Amino acid sequence: MWSPNARDVGGLPTRYGVQTRPRAVVRSDALDAADLADFEALDAGLVLDLRSDWEMQQPHPLEGTSAYQRIPWIDPEAELLRDADAEPRLVDVYRNSLTRNATHIGRVFSAIADAPADRPVVVHCKAGKDRTGLTIAVLLDLAGVPREQIAADYAISEVHLGIQDGPEFTRTLPETILGSLEHLDDLGGVRAYLSWLGLSALQIHRLATRLVPVEVQSIVFDFDGLLMDTETTMVESWQAEWAHHGLELELDGFWPGHGGNVTDDRYATLAAAVGPGFDLAESHARRIAHRELLHAELDFRPGIRAWIAGARELGLRVAIASSSPREWVVGHLERVGAIDLFDHIVTGDEVETHKPDPAIYELALQRLGVPGSSAIAVEDTAHGVAAAQAADMYAVAVPNPFVTAAAVAEADLVLGSADELLLTDLLLSAAPKGSTSVTE
């Protein structure tokens, strides 16, 4: 690198199982004319200068180029209201700075989010340790880098600058940046902070995926038990029908825990329990009528609509791959006004074999025009998980109320509910499967 405190922040571990992307973000102290040759070799899409007006004794060597932007971290109007006596430690300065300078900091992160995704971003101030240190710490926290690693990257600045023996205010001690990140926790976390600064969900996603490689292009949902809890309405309709005959349905052994049509077997079991007076046609009509009453109030399971909306905002293609007939799936979607949320709806009457065979997912992927490795499948049963994985997809299991987490343990990710995880975190979690390399 060209200057003493310049370094690539690629190659750091993340909680998503991949390393931060090399040549995506470079942090540095101030550039001068002697650095231009090395800089030009980097071919950065953005050089972000965080210095204030009073620091600009001479023009930046890149001033006038398309890549250069100067957005001062410090808001001069807010600085006039600063009470320095209330900030006895450097961590106090940092913590207050994150909120006091919100208007300018929002512009800083927006510029990074909107920079060309395929070219590096260089962030620098004067020494590359305080304003740059805070900027990089927020980015790394968003990317899921463990905080001890963030602190280590921050701390190395004082070694590069030869100031490790100086007073506390000049150094880059780990506890300073850790205390600053804890302040973000007090504000609701890094995502909430960036949102408060005015960044959109798409911009926040771009910040995260600048450092964490994500190749997901599509998300495909199962229908029964996953998008809508039609499994519970099915079970409750059978329970009501058994109760009509003065009997109690024992679910153990009755419900197989996977998709597929076993209706005939269920009626045979009921007929045997009722005896010679059982009328199959009447029983079926009564049960279906009861189930339709339950369906009248049925909508998507918690968190699903947010995932779909997020996928749409991020430009992902969205589909359904259900073993059920098209009439059944489309009828429910039309009832809740959701038919237009999906690019494709692939159903069981279009394939010869059902899950766990991957045929329905392979057809969905063909229509979406993406490989399995670039798609996420969301399922509620073991058969669905197996089908998705056989199609080389990242399989997320959100089991329905009649499937245990243990039954879907082979999934790449198991959640109790879709609202446990933001879609962006889901996409980042899928990075290890979709990423071609973590070290290139």
Side-chain angles (χ1 to χ4, degrees), residues 30 56 100 111 119 134 169 244 273 302 306 322 337 386 393 413 420 425:
M56 305 303 295
R100 178 173 58 240
R119 296 171 65 191
L134 280 169
F169 258 80
H244 174 82
S322 170
M393 303 171 75
L413 178 67
E420 291 181 4
D425 269 334

Side-chain angles (χ1 to χ4, degrees), residues 180-238:
S180 304
L181 293 175
E182 288 169 4
H183 182 55
L184 294 189
D185 295 337
D186 296 337
L187 299 174
V190 62
R191 293 184 188 279
Y193 173 68
L194 290 167
S195 179
W196 175 73
L197 291 178
L199 275 74
S200 68
L202 179 57
Q203 287 178 308
I204 295 171
H205 180 73
R206 286 174 176 166
L207 288 176
T209 55
R210 171 167 290 279
L211 282 168
V212 180
V214 172
E215 307 299 334
V216 176
Q217 302 175 46
S218 178
I219 183 166
V220 185
F221 296 91
D222 177 46
F223 183 76
D224 288 292
L226 187 281
L227 272 183
M228 289 187 175
D229 189 10
T230 53
E231 302 295 356
T232 292
T233 65
M234 180 271 293
V235 169
E236 289 181 355
S237 73
W238 281 106

Side-chain angles (χ1 to χ4, degrees), residues 175-427:
E175 54 265 32
T176 300
I177 205 66
L178 291 174
S180 304
L181 293 175
E182 288 169 4
H183 182 55
L184 294 189
D185 295 337
D186 296 337
L187 299 174
V190 62
R191 293 184 188 279
Y193 173 68
L194 290 167
S195 179
W196 175 73
L197 291 178
L199 275 74
S200 68
L202 179 57
Q203 287 178 308
I204 295 171
H205 180 73
R206 286 174 176 166
L207 288 176
T209 55
R210 171 167 290 279
L211 282 168
V212 180
V214 172
E215 307 299 334
V216 176
Q217 302 175 46
S218 178
I219 183 166
V220 185
F221 296 91
D222 177 46
F223 183 76
D224 288 292
L226 187 281
L227 272 183
M228 289 187 175
D229 189 10
T230 53
E231 302 295 356
T232 292
T233 65
M234 180 271 293
V235 169
E236 289 181 355
S237 73
W238 281 106
Q239 288 173 323
E241 185 57 22
W242 279 65
H244 174 82
H245 296 285
L247 302 171
E248 183 177 351
L249 174 61
E250 294 290 340
L251 289 181
D252 187 26
F254 176 82
W255 199 80
H258 59 73
N261 192 346
V262 292
T263 302
D264 290 344
D265 294 338
R266 287 170 175 152
Y267 277 122
T269 302
L270 177 58
V274 173
F278 180 73
D279 187 311
L280 175 60
E282 287 184 3
S283 178
H284 180 69
R286 187 169 46 243
R287 186 182 71 82
I288 294 302
H290 179 75
R291 193 179 184 192
E292 285 306 307
L293 288 175
L294 298 174
H295 286 162
E297 301 298 324
L298 193 65
D299 204 332
F300 287 0
R301 288 180 66 190
I304 294 294
R305 281 189 182 271
W307 277 8
I308 295 172
R312 287 290 185 193
E313 186 174 8
L314 299 178
L316 303 182
R317 295 172 65 76
V318 184
I320 289 175
S322 170
S323 294
S324 295
R326 185 174 187 83
E327 182 181 5
W328 168 265
V329 175
V330 170
H332 280 291
L333 294 174
E334 288 178 337
R335 178 176 52 79
V336 297
I339 194 77
D340 294 332
L341 297 180
F342 301 94
D343 296 294
H344 295 283
I345 299 170
V346 185
T347 52
D349 39 19
E350 299 183 78
V351 293
E352 294 183 0
T353 54
H354 292 175
K355 304 168 186 177
D357 188 276
I360 196 162
Y361 275 117
E362 291 170 346
L363 180 57
L365 291 167
Q366 177 184 336
R367 290 181 180 171
L368 289 165
V370 301
S373 59
S374 295
I376 293 174
V378 190
E379 278 283 353
D380 67 314
T381 67
H383 277 191
V385 168
Q389 290 177 327
D392 197 30
M393 303 171 75
Y394 184 90
V396 179
V398 186
N400 69 62
F402 302 95
V403 173
T404 65
V408 291
E410 294 301 314
D412 298 289
L413 178 67
V414 179
L415 300 171
S417 173
D419 58 9
E420 291 181 4
L421 195 67
L422 293 173
L423 178 69
T424 293
D425 269 334
L426 172 61
L427 300 178

